[in-house]
Amino acid sequence: MSTDNHDEGHELVPAEPLADPGLPEHLPRPTDVDEGAAKRAERQVATLFGLSSVFALLFCVSYFVFDIGDDPDTVGGLGASNVFLGSCLGLALLCIGIGAIQWSRKLMSDHEIVEFRHPAASPQEDRDEALAALDAGITDSGIGRRPLVRNSLLGAMAVLGLPAIVALRDLGPLPGKKLEHTVWKKGMKVVQDVDGTPIKPDMMEIGQLVNAEPAVFFPQDGEPELSGHKILAEKAKAAVILVRMHPDDIKPTELRKNWGVDGILCFSKICTHVGCPISLWEQQTHHLLCPCHQSTFDLADNGRVIFGPAARHLPQLPLELDADGYLVAQSDFTEPVGPSYWERDRTDLK
Amino acid sequence: MSAVSNGTTPAATPKPNPAGAVANWADERLGIATATKKQLRKVFPDHWSFMLGEIALWSFVILLLTGVFLSLWFKPSMGEVVYNGSYDQLRGIHMSEAYESTLHISFDVRAGLLMRQMHHWAAMLFIAAMLVHMMRVFLTGAFRKPRELNWIIGGVLLLLGILEGFAGYSLPDDLLSGTGLRIADGLVKATPVLGSYMSFFMFGGEFPGDVIIPRLYTAHILLIPGLLLALIAAHMLLLVYHKHTQWPGPGRTEQNVVGYPMMPVYAAKAGGFFFIVFGVVALMGGLMTINPVWRYGPYNPAEVTAGSQPDWYMGIAEGLLRIMPGWETHIFGVTLSWNVFLPGQIAPIALLMLVLAYPFIEQWITGDKREHHLLQRPRNAPTRTAFLAAMITLYGLLWAAGGNDILATVFHLDLNTITYFMRGAIFVIPPLVFILAKRWCISLQRHDNEMLLHGYESGIIMRDAQGGYTEKHLPLSEDRAYTLTARARDEVYAGMSGEDANGVSAPKARMDQLRAKASKAWFATNVQKPTAEEFEEAHHHAELEHAHDAPLEGHAADGHQFDGRHDVAGDDLTHKH
């Protein structure tokens, strides 16, 4: 094979130091020269294909033999049915694959073939013809001579974008002020999130954290006020944690002096970074850590951010006691909870 | 250029056999002979690294097959139901229909869990294979002209694959996937001006709403797979049109492609490889648990598991989000959350743009507008290789940062220290890796030149009459030597000369200077292959050396054979010359 010298016009480039020796000679494989070896390879391939059908049949057997259901932990914690179905299917497929590749490597001709490339570009005459055709088309349409047609069409196309956008309007309601309010209101009981039990201060020890929710999620009797996904949407804003600290450890701002009851404070559980529920409580340091991105808040210091990607303190829910001595909210949160958004007005720690 | 012989004569009347009859039937309706006469024996070059993209392709096929199976039972609905299926620990619990049907597939449909796990494993494999394939294409310069558009298609495929994966693992509506959506909601809300509107339109109201699962389902099984399929088809068509790149070697030039024909060799190899990928995925689905949603429980916006991790390909986004300092700007009564907006939106878009634009950036710097069908060894493009090494380092660091809590607990390190370290490391370590990788490539280039000029190190130590020791170097084989020299010489772009520069506008001249500087930084330290004169000189030198070594040939050093490892009986210990 001759080498093609493709750097015509590069006189300054040094000559190629070594000439292309051309394609190496084809060396026969054992299966090319030894009929015994070829027969052996043939048997190997056929055996693999045969094994594949065995495994495929075993897959069908496993499908009917092994129970599934309540017992996902048999056979190494994986479930017997799953292990056998997966293994049989996997081996059935692998045997076909390995057999086919063995066939191609040992028995199919391994003479290399040379194909010539063509440049990606079309030949010049084709380009000229294509351009001429395009020109003819444009001329025939008269689009160049009649700008009024062209411009009004472009305008129509642009305006057609409006229906496409407007039609999507009903994807969802407008945010309005919804992100600024939660279901908390004056006098609403703070209850445990598991069973809705109201909480009295003496039920909490110093250092304890209780996951809590507004009582409205747990209707005592009659029709529930909220149901289904409405509860989830409200829960995504209204979930709180109660913590009890030693009153001397707490450094409330002037405004927040009477937001706690006997060292019990209530904070939003929704991280001000991107909204994960925060729950990792270090009682010695009074730090609350978000398990998603590790923003850390100091609950003794009004929920201030002390580490991590969150930019804002954790909102605090003002607490008081009702007539029966249960913890209730003084009001809704005084600022929006959860992740930041554009319209959220500035709220310094007050 | 030689004509292809099998295309020049018209097809004869088909022989009266069944296959011929089918072919005839089809051709009379589809004209299929003209379309296939060349493609059936199309040549593909052989190299292990050409198989990486194939893994991605076959994973996609497996995803389609297993996905269709899952869609027969999955209910993309957030309607609330009470679980009443086989899994004891969740019985009686309120959950969405999506989660309930996922449990149903896992515990009450035979082979359902297998298909779910295969689907998830294949998705991870799909994205991993695309990424590794992309690195192969990058390192060997296979993205160069005329393949730039295929590089862009590949980049978009990777992006779509990641989005498809995220949509997919959000569908079961378990606690982990809901947490992922919660974070996505936070990212969307951080968008300037439109954030809260986008969030409300996405979730059909306040997060989590009751429409996100059906909407993601449409994206996951129709919209994105349709785009993936179309782009994969375009990717493959361009591959066929351009013909595959090949490594340089004897007889392998820019003008040809040497390898085995599609029919039968690659049909068997690639077809067989499909079954191997499929088989491996089936074994993984059977033997390796993935995403055990029954352990997480249904989604509840007030709960989260410590150590929550997204699928691995979201790791760098997660890492960026975690190490970003808490910066937020309040101005004119609005909030701009840099801490979420920068890592969550700007950084991924910037990264994607850089990836897509890369071939054109490199082309502008090198000024290389030629077609390239021969691959480059990574060492022969030191700057490019070093750039990728730095990017891989950055990827790895962000990935580790995405698991900073896991690192802290596993290695008993301080979480805050890891995070502070990462904030600096992503700016400091990648440049260091760049310098190291570049120097490494250059020394490998030097090594190639040494082997070409002076031969390879044979491991034979010679002692000359003066008692000095030298190692004998032997010449490379002709084929190997040619292969090492089969690369272009780099030309540093010098910029427009002074008199030309007078006539051009200032910004253009500045750009030109920048280009000249970039080209110098790109190429100037590269080692070029030896010239013919250098070969001549080295050859002459080798002859002298040979004359010097000849008398020493074939003698073991006196006494050294008594090392207890050789049979010395009958050894002649005397000098023969």
Side-chain angles (χ1 to χ4, degrees):
Chain A
M1 168 162 299
S2 70
T3 55
D4 305 82
N5 193 356
H6 54 276
D7 37 36
E8 68 264 2
H10 284 246
E11 296 87 8
L12 295 174
V13 177
E16 287 302 310
L18 298 177
D20 184 353
L23 272 186
E25 195 190 346
H26 175 255
L27 297 173
R29 299 163 296 183
T31 43
D32 290 331
V33 288
D34 177 0
E35 189 51 35
K39 274 281 172 211
R40 198 157 56 241
E42 189 182 340
R43 279 197 301 275
Q44 286 166 351
V45 173
T47 308
L48 282 164
F49 289 164
L51 271 178
S52 171
S53 14
V54 172
F55 284 119
L57 291 173
L58 279 176
F59 176 91
C60 300
V61 174
S62 310
Y63 186 90
F64 293 106
V65 164
F66 294 103
D67 277 337
I68 54 163
D70 194 16
D71 204 9
D73 294 335
T74 50
V75 191
L78 298 161
S81 168
N82 192 53
V83 167
F84 281 95
L85 289 176
S87 306
C88 292
L89 181 62
L91 291 171
L93 292 163
L94 278 177
C95 285
I96 293 186
I98 296 169
I101 288 174
Q102 178 76 346
W103 178 15
S104 73
R105 292 174 68 93
K106 299 283 178 182
L107 297 171
M108 289 181 184
S109 159
D110 74 335
H111 286 268
E112 286 192 311
I113 294 185
V114 179
E115 206 173 64
F116 285 91
R117 294 183 188 275
H118 51 77
S122 325
Q124 191 55 45
E125 67 227 57
D126 286 10
R127 290 182 178 203
D128 294 343
E129 264 180 58
L131 279 180
L134 186 65
D135 275 344
I138 291 172
T139 313
D140 286 358
S141 75
I143 201 164
R145 283 182 294 120
R146 300 184 202 283
L148 190 60
V149 171
R150 184 192 61 204
N151 295 345
S152 54
L153 177 63
L154 287 178
M157 288 299 192
V159 177
L160 207 52
L162 285 177
I165 296 167
V166 168
L168 292 174
R169 165 62 190 86
D170 276 348
L171 275 174
L174 296 181
K177 300 279 178 199
K178 290 195 194 81
L179 292 175
E180 295 176 17
H181 303 292
T182 72
V183 290
W184 288 107
K185 60 186 179 192
K186 183 166 175 57
M188 185 173 290
K189 282 199 179 76
V190 185
V191 301
Q192 291 193 359
D193 70 340
V194 183
D195 50 8
T197 319
I199 301 162
K200 283 186 173 172
D202 56 12
M203 292 161 73
M204 288 183 71
E205 288 164 25
I206 287 182
Q208 194 184 351
L209 175 142
V210 172
N211 291 300
E213 281 174 6
V216 65
F217 297 160
F218 299 92
Q220 292 307 311
D221 37 34
E223 281 296 293
E225 270 184 60
L226 298 163
S227 63
H229 72 273
K230 280 297 264 184
I231 288 196
L232 288 188
E234 290 304 336
K235 211 186 256 188
K237 289 186 301 185
V240 291
I241 45 145
L242 285 172
V243 283
R244 182 160 195 179
M245 291 172 275
H246 205 282
D248 297 344
D249 292 345
I250 303 173
K251 297 167 281 185
T253 59
E254 200 53 44
L255 183 74
R256 299 179 173 209
K257 280 245 155 70
N258 61 350
W259 281 18
V261 175
D262 301 340
I264 298 178
L265 300 183
C266 184
F267 285 93
S268 166
K269 197 181 181 181
I270 309 302
C271 187
T272 58
H273 178 222
V274 284
C276 283
I278 318 180
S279 50
L280 299 177
W281 171 236
E282 278 184 353
Q283 43 169 284
Q284 300 302 321
T285 54
H286 313 129
H287 290 171
L288 192 68
L289 178 85
C290 177
C292 288
H293 306 102
Q294 289 82 42
S295 296
T296 310
F297 304 87
D298 187 350
L299 299 194
D301 186 9
N302 308 289
R304 201 184 289 279
V305 183
I306 53 165
F307 178 76
R312 277 180 299 100
H313 61 276
L314 216 47
Q316 187 178 351
L317 186 75
L319 286 181
E320 61 186 4
L321 293 179
D322 69 358
D324 302 325
Y326 290 110
L327 291 171
V328 296
Q330 286 185 32
S331 68
D332 192 0
F333 284 101
T334 55
E335 56 190 309
V337 299
S340 295
Y341 51 93
W342 178 256
E343 307 91 315
R344 192 185 194 289
D345 207 347
R346 175 173 191 148
T347 36
D348 283 330
L349 193 52
K350 281 192 283 259
Chain B
M1 203 173 275
S2 70
V4 180
S5 58
N6 63 356
T8 50
T9 47
T13 324
K15 286 176 214 148
N17 65 35
V22 171
N24 186 40
W25 190 93
D27 189 51
E28 283 176 0
R29 281 149 190 88
L30 304 168
I32 210 163
T34 311
T36 52
K37 65 181 180 188
K38 277 185 184 166
Q39 304 305 333
L40 280 177
R41 293 287 275 179
K42 188 171 183 62
V43 170
F44 284 95
D46 227 17
H47 192 264
W48 66 266
S49 69
F50 302 164
M51 182 189 75
L52 299 168
E54 230 180 290
I55 300 179
L57 176 67
W58 297 140
S59 308
F60 183 70
V61 176
I62 298 165
L63 284 167
L64 291 179
L65 294 173
T66 51
V68 168
F69 183 93
L70 295 176
S71 72
L72 299 178
W73 287 276
F74 181 69
K75 293 180 198 147
S77 153
M78 296 173 90
E80 197 176 83
V81 290
V82 176
Y83 182 64
N84 216 357
S86 291
Y87 189 61
D88 193 39
Q89 294 175 49
L90 291 173
R91 225 172 281 148
I93 288 183
H94 290 255
M95 56 181 62
S96 66
E97 276 195 282
Y99 187 56
E100 193 264 347
S101 59
T102 308
L103 293 176
H104 179 73
I105 291 171
S106 304
F107 295 115
D108 296 289
V109 175
R110 281 177 281 190
L113 180 59
L114 176 67
M115 291 297 163
R116 249 198 68 222
Q117 301 202 125
M118 283 174 68
H119 195 69
H120 206 134
W121 279 124
M124 290 201 166
L125 198 60
F126 179 50
I127 297 169
M130 281 198 284
L131 208 59
V132 179
H133 169 63
M134 210 163 179
M135 289 198 275
R136 190 284 288 178
V137 167
F138 188 89
L139 279 175
T140 57
F143 58 82
R144 291 174 298 170
K145 190 179 172 187
R147 295 181 177 78
E148 304 99 319
L149 291 176
N150 232 10
W151 168 264
I152 290 177
I153 293 175
V156 175
L157 278 171
L158 182 62
L159 172 77
L160 287 173
I162 290 171
L163 290 177
E164 175 74 343
F166 180 77
Y169 81 69
S170 296
L171 286 179
D173 203 21
D174 57 289
L175 186 55
L176 185 62
S177 74
T179 304
L181 282 175
R182 182 53 155 151
I183 295 167
D185 174 55
L187 293 188
V188 169
K189 278 194 179 129
T191 314
V193 186
L194 293 175
S196 55
Y197 291 83
M198 284 162 65
S199 165
F200 272 62
F201 283 13
M202 225 172 103
F203 291 93
E206 277 191 272
F207 174 87
D210 60 349
V211 293
I212 188 67
I213 298 286
R215 284 178 185 174
L216 282 175
Y217 187 66
T218 306
H220 182 75
I221 72 158
L222 177 72
L223 196 60
I224 305 179
L227 288 173
L228 282 171
L229 204 56
L231 286 175
I232 289 174
H235 204 65
M236 305 308 296
L237 279 175
L238 276 176
L239 160 77
V240 168
Y241 180 65
H242 291 141
K243 297 187 167 74
H244 207 288
T245 51
Q246 64 186 352
W247 287 102
R252 289 151 210 267
T253 68
E254 289 281 8
Q255 277 74 36
N256 70 12
V257 52
V258 182
Y260 299 112
M262 166 81 191
M263 182 75 191
V265 176
Y266 265 91
K269 275 193 174 179
F273 192 57
F274 166 64
F275 284 96
I276 287 183
V277 175
F278 205 167
V280 168
V281 168
L283 287 179
M284 290 170 88
L287 302 175
M288 294 155 74
T289 301
I290 187 165
N291 202 22
V293 288
W294 56 90
R295 290 193 203 143
Y296 307 148
Y299 181 57
N300 174 351
E303 283 174 16
V304 69
T305 326
S308 288
Q309 285 287 328
D311 267 7
W312 70 266
Y313 44 83
M314 305 299 285
I316 58 164
E318 177 83 2
L320 268 175
L321 212 52
R322 288 185 184 204
I323 63 172
M324 183 75 193
W327 295 337
E328 201 171 82
T329 306
H330 304 272
I331 189 166
F332 304 126
V334 296
T335 298
L336 193 48
S337 313
W338 301 110
N339 55 340
V340 182
F341 181 58
L342 271 185
Q345 299 195 21
I346 298 292
I349 291 172
L351 184 68
L352 180 74
M353 288 302 146
L354 175 66
V355 168
L356 297 187
Y358 183 84
F360 306 100
I361 298 173
E362 188 185 304
Q363 216 167 69
W364 178 74
I365 294 174
T366 61
D368 186 349
K369 302 276 191 279
R370 291 167 297 176
E371 282 196 12
H372 291 279
H373 302 290
L374 287 181
L375 297 172
Q376 289 176 301
R377 297 172 86 198
R379 68 183 62 175
N380 288 331
T383 313
R384 182 201 297 149
T385 303
F387 176 70
L388 185 69
M391 290 299 276
I392 292 174
T393 310
L394 180 64
Y395 193 100
L397 286 170
L398 288 175
W399 214 47
N404 57 359
D405 52 337
I406 312 276
L407 291 178
T409 45
V410 171
F411 296 107
H412 304 289
L413 297 168
D414 179 48
L415 177 76
N416 300 15
T417 312
I418 298 177
T419 306
Y420 291 132
F421 171 79
M422 287 300 182
R423 281 178 185 172
I426 59 164
F427 294 103
V428 175
I429 298 184
L432 293 179
V433 169
F434 178 89
I435 294 167
L436 182 76
K438 188 162 179 181
R439 297 320 303 181
W440 196 339
C441 286
I442 290 167
S443 66
L444 283 170
Q445 285 190 312
R446 290 210 181 100
H447 176 67
D448 280 353
N449 276 10
E450 248 159 55
M451 285 207 301
L452 280 169
L453 294 175
H454 309 301
Y456 67 94
E457 295 166 358
S458 64
I460 300 167
I461 306 294
M462 316 276 285
R463 190 173 77 167
D464 62 20
Q466 286 77 40
Y469 288 93
T470 49
E471 184 177 3
K472 192 172 172 60
H473 284 230
L474 295 173
L476 296 177
S477 73
E478 194 189 3
D479 285 358
R480 177 124 170 75
Y482 172 74
T483 306
L484 287 183
T485 59
R487 64 179 177 105
R489 287 174 202 283
D490 305 321
E491 293 163 48
V492 180
Y493 175 68
M496 289 181 253
S497 57
E499 58 229 85
D500 289 345
N502 290 335
V504 293
S505 60
K508 214 171 170 191
R510 260 203 301 280
M511 280 305 272
D512 187 68
Q513 268 177 8
L514 180 69
R515 194 185 138 194
K517 267 190 193 147
S519 175
K520 199 174 159 203
W522 199 267
F523 282 141
T525 47
N526 290 6
V527 179
Q528 304 306 324
K529 66 184 175 188
T531 59
E533 294 78 48
E534 284 167 329
F535 265 100
E536 192 57 42
E537 197 185 322
H539 186 68
H540 181 63
H541 178 76
E543 275 176 355
L544 290 178
E545 203 163 79
H546 181 70
H548 170 264
D549 288 346
L552 309 171
E553 202 70 54
H555 292 274
D558 288 348
H560 280 207
Q561 61 269 60
F562 297 105
D563 59 2
R565 290 188 218 143
H566 298 99
D567 183 12
V568 290
D571 232 19
D572 187 359
L573 299 183
T574 56
H575 286 277
K576 275 184 186 156
H577 56 269

